[in-house]
Amino acid sequence: MSTLQRARQQLKAHPLALDALLAAGVLVCMMAGSFVAPHEKDAVSWSLRTPAPLSLVLMVLAALALVFRRRAPLTVLALTGTASIIECVTGDPRAPVAMAAVIALFTVASATDRPTTLRAGLLTMTVLTGAAMLAGPLPWYAQENLGIFAWTGIGATAGDAVRSRRAFVQAIRERAEKAERTREEEARRRVAEERLRIARDLHDVVAHHIALVNVQAGVAAHIMDKRPDQAKEALAHVREASRSALNELRATVGLLRQSGDPEAPTEPAPGLARLDELVGTFRSAGLHVEVARTDHGTTLPAAVDLAAYRVIQEALTNVQKHAGTEAKAEVSVVRVGPNLEITVLDNGAGEDDDPDSGGGHGLLGMRERVTALRGTLTTGPRYGGGFRVHAILPVKTRTTARDKPGEPV
């Protein structure tokens, strides 16, 4: 960093010192203008003159006032303007005290709003020019009087331009910061949604397959000595369920890999097309399941198809876990107008027929899936025993980034 840059940073960090340097520079310029004047006959040559003592005092006072121009711009303008009026009326020869008033008017225009700038600028221009023309020692048409009018107008205009540019830059900076915050919030929201989606998928996969493994392992252990053939069949079901669980876990966890990873899974998400396969796994575990469907020929969005599959999977898993060994389940998938209605019933043969009694997140996950698609989910005990899960999913979802096929929901 150069010496000039360091000095500039230090001055910005100490605005009072910067204003003191500015006031000193203005005082030097006013002094030079008061002691030097163009020759009366030859405008190219210059001559020395002696200003009035009052003019010297007014120049010093006006320069001292400029030191505090940032803290009290209107007050400094009033002081420098008063000194300029006094000099315009009494100064002979004329001293450039109005230079301090021009600097103060520039500060007011750059530090306040436009209406204040207009009022202060018009008042300063009118009062200083009128005092110089009407009460000054020079003729009213003298160039010095017109110069006061021009320089005060330039000071007000330049200050307003600086204020406008500063406000424009600040607005751009605020919009950029707001856009950055919006991007960060959107990124955090998408990360949270993705985590929730993966958590739901992991729960559905693990709960379903582990429940089947648990049932089949219990059956195998019970009949191992008496009926080894059936025990072997049960162990085969355990192996198949565990293999399916590993495959689905691999596909789900694979979503956490980088997008360029060639080993990332590309298998499509499950849907109602695999409903028979899903029901078959429960039947092989000993659960009696009946299926009724009237949705054939209906094309579902990927998000709705996955949600319908997961709702049925979780409902049947809850039946397997809570309704007892003699439980029976009924699954119906019906197209009703613009909606797809899914109902899963069980007869509640077991003592623990409430899925919420285990403290799990199955019903919560189902509700989150359905609500995300603007559907409704109703769960609760049935009259006479058993449990009922009823989901209504819209066949056509609103076109958003989350509803597009192939994107996570």
Side-chain angles (χ1 to χ4, degrees), residues 127-334:
V127 173
L128 292 184
T129 306
M133 287 183 176
L134 299 177
L138 299 177
W140 67 270
Y141 53 83
Q143 293 183 355
E144 288 83 350
N145 297 336
L146 297 178
I148 293 176
F149 180 85
W151 280 107
T152 51
I154 292 174
T157 304
D160 184 72
V162 170
R163 181 195 56 77
S164 299
R165 182 181 180 278
R166 187 183 299 129
F168 177 73
V169 172
Q170 182 64 24
I172 292 178
R173 184 180 294 110
E174 290 177 354
R175 284 198 296 268
E177 293 175 354
K178 183 179 180 180
E180 184 66 22
R181 289 194 302 268
T182 302
R183 285 194 295 268
E184 292 177 357
E185 292 173 358
E186 179 67 15
R188 286 193 295 267
R189 184 187 64 83
R190 289 183 178 273
V191 169
E193 290 181 350
E194 183 66 9
R195 288 177 177 175
L196 181 61
R197 188 194 68 82
I198 293 175
R200 285 198 300 258
D201 285 343
L202 287 174
H203 174 271
D204 293 340
V205 171
V206 172
H208 166 58
H209 291 290
I210 296 303
L212 295 180
V213 169
N214 181 57
V215 172
Q216 295 292 348
V219 172
H222 183 69
I223 63 176
M224 178 66 71
D225 297 331
K226 299 180 180 179
R227 288 173 287 179
D229 294 338
Q230 294 183 7
K232 184 177 180 180
E233 182 180 355
L235 291 175
H237 289 310
V238 169
R239 181 181 180 184
E240 182 65 26
S242 61
R243 183 187 295 112
S244 300
L246 289 175
N247 291 336
E248 293 200 32
L249 282 174
R250 187 180 299 111
T252 303
V253 177
L255 296 175
L256 300 175
R257 295 179 178 175
Q258 297 180 358
S259 58
D261 194 338
E263 297 182 0
T266 58
E267 182 182 356
L272 292 181
R274 297 174 56 183
L275 179 58
D276 293 338
E277 177 183 348
L278 174 66
V279 172
T281 60
F282 285 99
R283 287 172 177 167
S284 63
L287 178 64
H288 181 73
V289 184
E290 296 181 359
V291 180
R293 299 184 61 177
T294 62
D295 64 319
H296 298 288
T298 301
T299 301
L300 299 177
V304 176
D305 200 18
L306 175 61
Y309 179 89
R310 293 303 189 193
V311 167
I312 297 174
Q313 181 186 52
E314 179 62 27
L316 291 179
T317 301
N318 288 335
V319 175
Q320 183 76 44
K321 292 166 58 178
H322 302 287
T325 56
E326 301 297 329
K328 296 182 180 180
E330 299 178 3
V331 178
S332 65
V333 182
V334 182

